Amino acid sequence: MKPERQTTASAPVEVDGIAVSPDHYIDGARVASTETFEVFRPIDQQVLGRVAEGLDEHAEAAVTAAQRAFADWGAMKAAERKPYLDRFAAEIGQRADAFCRLESNDAGVLLSRMRHGVVPRAMLNISWFAEHALGLQDRAIDTEQAHHRVRHDPAGIAVIITPWNAPLMLSTWKLGPALAAGDTCILKPPEWAPLTCSLLADAADAAGLPPGVLNVVQGTGARTGAKLVADPRISRVSFTGSVPTARRIAQAAGANLVPCSLELGGKSPFLVLDDAELDNAAATAALMYRNAGQVCLAGTRLLVHQRVVEPFIAALRDHVDRLVVGDPRHEATEVGPIIHPRQVERVQGFVDRAVAGGARLMWGGSRHAYGAQYFQPTLVAGVRQSDEIVQNEVFGPVLTLQTFATDDEAVALANGTDYGLGGVCYGEMAHATAVADRVRTGFIWINSFGIRDLAAPFGGIKRSGIGREGGDWSFEFFCDVKDIVVPKKPFRASFSHR
């Protein structure tokens, strides 16, 4: 059964004066569904509206549209695709205020972070990769025997599945290189925060992307996502989210030998060495509470040298006491709400079990007085390396504190989890660099935090994921690499055994 194609738009969802389509975007048109699901505002858990649920026929239609569009989009040269993507980036900019206010309502992301960081980065995610793709022309490798011409050909259809903590940024971070490479895309937004991706479809449509090049199918991972990743016609799956979901995606895609890029969060260490500049380190550590701690790359495990732990904690407490908890739509707010009641309960459970097991609260530990979806910035001390709160991602405004006496002990603690996404190391530069070199992780910031360059690789090791995103690494994933070999001398076939 083919899904109903809309000749007139469904009644939009109205959010803070912004009208957003509740329907899927498939083959250049809005498509309704006979089933819908509610979207809540995490600030106060008010219902924002109902959006279309992706059924089997919607997944089927999206893959079919993407497959048909790939014939032309993939055949274009990078320079021919670039004007479309530049217009796409510009259309995001034209809707900057709407994107900011919508995601602040829908996902609880700080309005200030959206305005000054996320939207400019979303535009750059599209335009930068469109420009960088121009360098993916034929690359020459000259050997004694042959001339090699290495091409990066479009892989085909890419299914992109993004999480609720950063829908706009992570969607464009994946769409940029995929579209620039010549792939056609199906974006499955997070069910807890799908509205930004619907607005993103409007930007793509206004930019004139051909029908089927970008499709947006809303729904749950268990239903919509599972149908998409199991389709044998797709060529790539790019996912950011939890380890259990990644396992299911990898199993489904693996049945068809479809490559997956998996970014799965972390339990990153924040090392404070005995020669660190303590107030600066403490100010940076306080940033780990931003976005209510719902940041995969946050350094949530504070590992502090025992000689400086007391002054460091005093400095950190001073910064934490000045954090503004409140409505993320207010520019001054620094710590907003947790996305969903289930996530609040999960965070509370981690803290309660840690305290019951002998840990002690330095501060925080429960819901914040501002509202039911808010959790106090929390620091848990007296934890053991084997404790679940040390080993597993909490994804809330909760940090743990451990101390060490030597660099060897610090490195052992840092490496002592199954995750390996990021890290932070504060100390005298040469000292911090030497320690950072020994930490097993995908990346680590020295005396800094949050520096992300599009040309650099991003990704983790161990349970933090598979693959790298950024720069050439993104294109290595979203492309098929082909070597065209021309011999330097006339080739004559022969069998060595004759």
Side-chain angles (χ1 to χ4, degrees):
M1 183 178 70
K2 291 184 178 180
E4 174 191 356
R5 288 177 62 90
Q6 297 291 86
T7 54
T8 58
S10 297
V13 174
E14 294 281 348
V15 180
D16 199 15
I18 305 160
V20 188
S21 173
D23 297 327
H24 309 301
Y25 180 75
I26 300 172
D27 203 13
R30 290 293 178 174
V31 177
S33 176
T34 56
E35 297 185 29
T36 61
F37 61 95
E38 285 185 324
V39 177
F40 299 87
R41 180 165 52 205
I43 298 165
D44 52 18
Q45 279 301 290
Q46 293 297 305
V47 176
L48 295 174
R50 301 191 70 89
V51 301
E53 168 77 22
L55 309 179
D56 286 359
E57 59 261 34
H58 301 116
E60 168 71 23
V63 176
T64 299
Q67 184 179 44
R68 184 176 60 251
F70 178 69
D72 291 331
W73 185 254
M76 289 183 183
K77 295 184 182 298
E80 295 173 311
R81 289 188 289 265
K82 186 176 184 297
Y84 289 97
L85 299 179
D86 287 342
R87 290 196 297 271
F88 188 16
E91 290 292 341
I92 294 172
Q94 288 292 324
R95 294 161 175 76
D97 182 64
F99 274 117
C100 291
R101 291 188 289 124
L102 183 61
E103 192 151 301
S104 190
N105 276 274
D106 192 27
V109 178
L110 299 178
L111 183 64
S112 59
R113 181 169 175 260
M114 291 297 300
R115 284 180 173 161
H116 304 297
V118 173
V119 171
R121 173 60 184 269
M123 296 170 63
L124 188 63
N125 284 341
I126 303 297
S127 61
W128 189 92
F129 282 107
E131 178 70 26
H132 196 64
L134 300 178
L136 290 182
Q137 306 303 321
D138 296 344
R139 297 184 182 183
I141 300 174
D142 212 26
T143 69
E144 182 179 345
Q145 298 183 85
H147 299 288
H148 296 257
R149 183 161 57 90
V150 180
R151 289 175 51 89
H152 284 71
D153 292 336
I157 303 170
V159 171
I160 291 171
I161 303 175
T162 54
W164 45 258
N165 62 318
L168 177 62
M169 206 292 286
L170 290 176
S171 293
T172 55
W173 168 239
K174 297 171 186 294
L175 288 173
L179 293 171
D183 294 350
T184 53
C185 297
I186 304 168
L187 173 63
K188 208 294 285 183
E191 55 262 38
W192 283 354
L195 298 180
T196 306
C197 293
S198 182
L199 191 62
L200 195 62
D202 288 344
D205 192 73
L209 263 68
V213 169
L214 171 60
N215 306 274
V216 179
V217 183
Q218 300 155 156
T220 63
R223 185 180 196 176
T224 311
K227 179 68 174 178
L228 288 169
V229 300
D231 194 300
R233 293 170 292 176
I234 68 169
S235 299
R236 296 291 187 272
V237 177
S238 181
F239 169 75
T240 298
S242 71
V243 172
T245 302
R247 288 196 177 108
R248 292 192 291 271
I249 288 173
Q251 288 173 349
N256 297 314
L257 297 180
V258 173
C260 295
S261 174
L262 306 173
E263 197 273 279
L264 309 180
K267 194 66 184 176
S268 300
F270 191 116
L271 295 111
V272 181
L273 308 180
D274 58 355
D275 49 10
E277 201 284 290
L278 295 182
D279 189 67
N280 192 23
T284 304
L287 293 177
M288 305 305 112
Y289 292 121
R290 294 189 68 183
N291 210 40
Q294 300 167 125
V295 181
C296 62
L297 49 77
T300 57
R301 292 187 295 132
L302 303 182
L303 309 179
V304 186
H305 196 285
Q306 61 187 21
R307 284 202 295 266
V308 299
V309 64
E310 290 187 8
F312 172 78
I313 294 303
L316 176 58
R317 181 61 189 264
D318 183 57
H319 287 287
V320 171
D321 284 345
R322 286 181 274 146
L323 289 173
V324 178
V325 178
D327 192 321
R329 297 169 296 183
H330 300 159
E331 282 279 353
T333 298
E334 295 168 300
V335 181
I338 289 176
I339 184 75
H340 194 276
R342 292 214 307 262
Q343 186 65 16
V344 177
E345 293 170 4
R346 183 176 186 274
V347 172
Q348 186 70 69
F350 268 104
V351 174
D352 290 347
R353 290 188 297 272
V355 172
R360 65 183 185 280
L361 290 172
M362 302 291 286
W363 53 76
S366 60
R367 285 175 170 82
H368 194 277
Y370 192 87
Q373 288 302 117
Y374 292 78
F375 204 88
Q376 296 174 335
T378 298
L379 179 62
V380 183
V383 293
R384 298 176 294 271
Q385 185 70 9
S386 60
D387 288 349
E388 65 162 1
I389 201 168
V390 173
Q391 292 294 322
N392 296 321
E393 190 173 43
V394 177
F395 226 58
V398 177
L399 308 181
T400 59
L401 173 66
Q402 296 169 275
T403 62
F404 60 87
T406 66
D407 288 353
D408 287 346
E409 186 180 356
V411 171
L413 290 172
N415 292 339
T417 75
D418 289 333
Y419 289 92
L421 182 59
V424 182
C425 188
Y426 266 83
E428 186 275 326
M429 187 59 69
H431 185 193
T433 300
V435 171
D437 284 348
R438 299 170 60 193
V439 177
R440 296 197 63 224
T441 187
F443 57 90
I444 187 165
W445 289 290
I446 296 176
N447 297 335
S448 59
F449 175 73
I451 298 171
R452 297 273 303 278
D453 290 312
L454 285 173
F458 178 85
I461 63 173
K462 300 189 283 187
R463 288 176 64 193
S464 286
I466 298 171
R468 292 293 182 272
E469 297 177 276
D472 290 347
W473 293 270
S474 286
F475 288 114
E476 291 294 318
F477 175 72
F478 285 115
C479 291
D480 287 329
V481 180
K482 178 168 63 182
D483 181 18
I484 300 173
V485 185
V486 179
K488 288 185 174 179
K489 297 178 181 179
F491 181 78
R492 297 290 181 267
S494 65
F495 292 94
S496 59
H497 64 274
R498 289 183 178 174

